[in-house]
Amino acid sequence: MFLQHFTSNDVIASIVSGNTMILFILCSGISYSIMTQRMIEKGVEMAAFRAQMLARAIFIDLIGYLLIMLNGPFGVILPAYATLFVLALVLVRCSRRTLFTISLVLLVAGPPLMILGGSVLSEAYFLGDIAGGPLSALGVAPVFVAGMVIGRLNLHSLRNATWLIISGIILLVISKLFSNRVLPGLAHSFEKWLLDYTNIATTQPDPYAIWPHNVAPPLWQMLLTSGPQSGSTFQLLIGLGTSLLVLGLTCLIAKKGAAILTPFAAVGQVALTLYAAQFVLAWVLIISGMDYTFGVVSVVLITLIAGGLLVRFSISPLETMMRRFDRLFSGFQSSAAPAASRSSNIS
């Protein structure tokens, strides 16, 4: 993300633009599954787990809206991320096969619903976080659920790492070939049909009309694009293939030379703090009239050094605040359980 946001290198941009968000969401789904499994292994009640996930979602949502208020040059995914934490509660007991099936269905059905939501829910901000465009929960849900599937696997297994790499390469190559060779022609024909047989080009919403006459027409042409953060099935498949490849290589490197990943692991330990820091940094540089693009090597070194220093000196403000926020809800669950037990005995 730092490379995408703070460099102007066209080669880097062609590789990371849009894919960073998908990798972020995929890893989030993996983390969600791992957290769920650990809670189950520790014998934590589902009520306590739901309370913790709800607390985490509220905290992340608040941070996301604070970052949106800066009105910076980057899109903020945190509200959608927080919404997924709540919506995924209904999936935690699903089997791996069921999750895989849900992910496939969402890859096909999610983009049209997301585009429709981007039109109909354009002024409903909370509902927009659920299904209001490419940065909504529905827009990235297929990837999150795919991450939940991967989180059920043994990521220390050499075989699984190899399968992730092979799957990523196959998915990436097929998706890229289709998007480069076939998709442009389909998109041109579809856009021509929209112009010839619909009034999409001339329809202008009336902001003073009653809902839904006050909303813009859905941008159906986005269904046949593969541009970064378009939310189409093809863009999700390209990003998912890239992310599976990166994830598989990371697992493989961890088996052969884990020390190489140490600086990146440090960044991962303070991911939320650094995620928020990039928006604040860009806001400060822009409001100061300074350029916020730098060289690739500089961005990589600064990010890795910042992560290493934060971990070295145990500075992780947002992660610490989130854990304390979680404990408030966990404490409520602990104190509520005995009270409910006493009420039952009295009855």
Side-chain angles (χ1 to χ4, degrees), residues 39 59 71 97 150 160 173 178 202 242 288 307 317 322 333:
M39 286 241 176
F59 182 85
N71 202 27
R97 179 176 295 180
I150 297 172
N160 287 338
V173 170
F178 186 87
T202 58
T242 305
S288 302
M322 184 168 64
Q333 286 291 326

Side-chain angles (χ1 to χ4, degrees), residues 207-218:
Y208 302 103
I210 61 172
W211 185 91
H213 302 294
N214 62 338
V215 298

Side-chain angles (χ1 to χ4, degrees), residues 30-293:
I30 295 171
S31 300
Y32 198 90
S33 271
I34 293 174
M35 283 191 297
T36 305
Q37 290 175 2
R38 287 178 178 174
M39 286 241 176
I40 293 173
E41 290 169 0
K42 292 178 181 179
V44 177
E45 294 184 359
M46 281 305 297
F49 175 72
R50 293 190 190 99
Q52 183 176 359
M53 291 301 101
L54 179 60
R56 190 157 294 193
I58 292 172
F59 182 85
I60 292 173
D61 208 27
L62 290 173
I63 297 299
Y65 279 115
L66 288 173
L67 295 177
I68 290 173
M69 287 172 62
L70 295 178
N71 202 27
F74 320 133
V76 181
I77 193 64
L78 289 187
Y81 181 43
T83 305
L84 286 169
F85 262 56
V86 178
L87 297 179
L89 288 173
V90 301
L91 303 177
V92 292
R93 294 196 179 277
C94 291
S95 66
R96 198 163 61 196
R97 179 176 295 180
T98 301
L99 289 173
F100 181 76
T101 303
I102 292 172
S103 180
L104 289 179
V105 171
L106 287 172
L107 273 170
V108 177
L113 294 174
M114 171 269 297
I115 289 174
L116 182 62
S119 170
V120 177
L121 305 176
S122 59
E123 299 299 324
Y125 297 108
F126 175 72
L127 295 176
D129 291 340
I130 299 175
L135 293 181
S136 66
L138 185 60
V140 294
V143 179
F144 187 89
V145 179
M148 292 181 68
V149 176
I150 297 172
R152 304 279 184 91
L153 302 175
N154 177 14
L155 295 178
H156 297 285
S157 166
L158 182 62
R159 180 184 177 186
N160 287 338
T162 304
W163 271 112
L164 286 171
I165 293 172
I166 294 173
S167 301
I169 292 174
I170 293 173
L171 191 57
L172 180 59
V173 170
I174 293 176
S175 301
K176 271 289 189 182
L177 285 175
F178 186 87
S179 64
N180 290 336
R181 303 283 180 86
V182 181
L183 198 58
L186 287 177
H188 178 73
S189 299
F190 183 64
E191 289 176 7
K192 187 176 184 301
W193 177 84
L194 284 175
L195 292 173
D196 291 343
Y197 296 99
T198 70
N199 61 349
I200 190 171
T202 58
T203 302
Q204 294 296 327
D206 180 0
Y208 302 103
I210 61 172
W211 185 91
H213 302 294
N214 62 338
V215 298
L219 301 176
W220 296 119
Q221 59 270 32
M222 290 176 60
L223 289 173
L224 296 176
T225 64
S226 59
Q229 296 186 3
S230 62
S232 71
T233 299
F234 309 102
Q235 188 256 334
L236 292 175
L237 288 173
I238 291 172
L240 189 56
T242 305
S243 300
L244 290 176
L245 176 58
V246 171
L247 180 63
L249 289 173
T250 303
C251 293
L252 192 63
I253 293 171
K255 291 285 291 183
K256 302 297 183 180
I260 299 174
L261 299 176
T262 301
F264 301 94
V267 172
Q269 291 181 55
V270 288
L272 184 58
T273 294
L274 287 178
Y275 178 90
Q278 65 180 323
F279 292 89
V280 177
L281 175 61
W283 177 75
V284 169
L285 291 175
I286 292 172
I287 208 170
S288 302
M290 301 171 62
D291 183 18
Y292 63 90
T293 57

Side-chain angles (χ1 to χ4, degrees), residues 288-327:
S288 302
M290 301 171 62
D291 183 18
Y292 63 90
T293 57
F294 306 93
V296 173
V297 176
S298 300
V299 171
V300 171
L301 288 177
I302 291 172
T303 306
L304 294 178
I305 291 172
L309 290 175
L310 289 173
V311 172
R312 173 68 179 81
F313 295 103
S314 301
I315 304 171
S316 54
L318 292 185
E319 286 77 12
T320 301
M321 290 170 63
M322 184 168 64
R323 283 191 291 269
R324 290 177 179 174
F325 200 69
D326 285 353
R327 282 197 290 269

